[in-house]
Amino acid sequence: YYKNKESIFRAVLLDEMQQFLSAANENLENITECRERILTYFEGRFQFTRNLANLNNLTFETFQKNQSLFFDVFRETNEMESRFLEALIQRCIDDGELKDCDAARVSQSLIDLNCAMKNAAHVEAEYSIEHKVDLDELMDNILFTTGLILDGLVTTRQEG
C-alpha cells in the first residue's frame, strides 16, 4: 500500500521509466550501428515523454505543493536514463565505434542538451501566437543535434 497519492504518482512514473528502458533495450539490440542505436534511443525517449505530455498540464499550484516530489522523481528517472545511455555509449567505445571518452559525462551531456532543447521550445511557444510546440520539428532538431555530437565521437576505422 502507498502512504498517499504522491507515493503512487512517484511509483507509477518510476515504473513507467523502467518499462521504457527495458523495452528500449530490447528494441536496440537489433540495431548494429552505434550512432543509429543512440539516435533511435533518443527518438523513443521523445515519444515516451510525448506520451506523458499531460504532466505539462499540472497546475502551478500543484507543482509548487509537490515540488520536492517532482524534483526527486526527475532526479531518479534522470539517473536511470543516464546509466542506460552510458552503457550504450560504453558499448560503442568497447566496439571501437566511438572514440575513447567519458561515457558517463557524454551520456549526461546528451540528456541535458535534450532537456534544454525541449525547455527552449516550450519557452518559445509561450511567446508565440499559437502557444504550441511543433513536436515533429523539435524531435527533428534533437536528433540532428545529437547526431552532430555523435559524428564528432565516431572513430575512423581502417579497412584492410
Side-chain angles (χ1 to χ4, degrees), residues 19 22 24 26 56 61 66 79 88 102 124-125 128 133-134 137 141 144 150 160:
Q19 287 181 38
S22 294
E26 287 179 30
N56 294 335
E61 182 181 320
N66 298 294
E79 288 171 6
L88 275 180
D102 184 341
E124 184 179 315
S128 73
V133 174
D134 182 341
E137 180 182 2
N141 289 338
F144 174 78
L150 293 173

Side-chain angles (χ1 to χ4, degrees), residues 103-157:
R105 193 166 182 188
V106 171
S107 167
Q108 193 58 58
S109 295
L110 290 174
I111 290 169
D112 290 347
L113 175 67
N114 187 296
C115 289
M117 291 178 77
K118 284 182 188 175
N119 289 339
H122 285 282
V123 167
E124 184 179 315
E126 284 296 315
Y127 294 103
S128 73
I129 294 171
E130 295 177 0
H131 296 289
K132 187 176 178 187
V133 174
D134 182 341
L135 295 175
D136 293 329
E137 180 182 2
L138 176 58
M139 183 173 71
D140 184 57
N141 289 338
I142 287 171
L143 295 178
F144 174 78
T145 305
T146 303
L148 288 176
I149 293 167
L150 293 173
D151 289 347
L153 293 172
V154 170
T155 60
T156 345
R157 290 187 170 190

Side-chain angles (χ1 to χ4, degrees), residues 4 8 25-26 44 66 75 82-83 99 149 158:
N4 51 37
I8 295 170
N25 194 43
E26 287 179 30
N66 298 294
R75 186 178 38 79
S82 185
R83 285 190 306 271
K99 296 174 186 173
I149 293 167
Q158 297 291 326

Side-chain angles (χ1 to χ4, degrees), residues 31-38 92 97:
I31 301 174
T32 57
E33 185 199 27
C34 171
R35 183 182 191 277
E36 190 62 31
R37 225 177 5 254
I38 294 170
C92 294
E97 292 183 69

Side-chain angles (χ1 to χ4, degrees), residues 66-121:
N66 298 294
Q67 191 170 9
S68 65
L69 169 70
F70 289 118
F71 179 75
D72 289 344
V73 169
F74 173 79
R75 186 178 38 79
E76 286 184 61
T77 57
N78 186 285
E79 288 171 6
M80 292 166 68
E81 189 174 17
S82 185
R83 285 190 306 271
F84 180 87
L85 188 56
E86 178 184 353
L88 275 180
I89 292 169
Q90 189 60 54
R91 176 178 166 193
C92 294
I93 293 168
D94 294 344
D95 290 347
E97 292 183 69
L98 292 182
K99 296 174 186 173
D100 190 23
C101 59
D102 184 341
R105 193 166 182 188
V106 171
S107 167
Q108 193 58 58
S109 295
L110 290 174
I111 290 169
D112 290 347
L113 175 67
N114 187 296
C115 289
M117 291 178 77
K118 284 182 188 175
N119 289 339

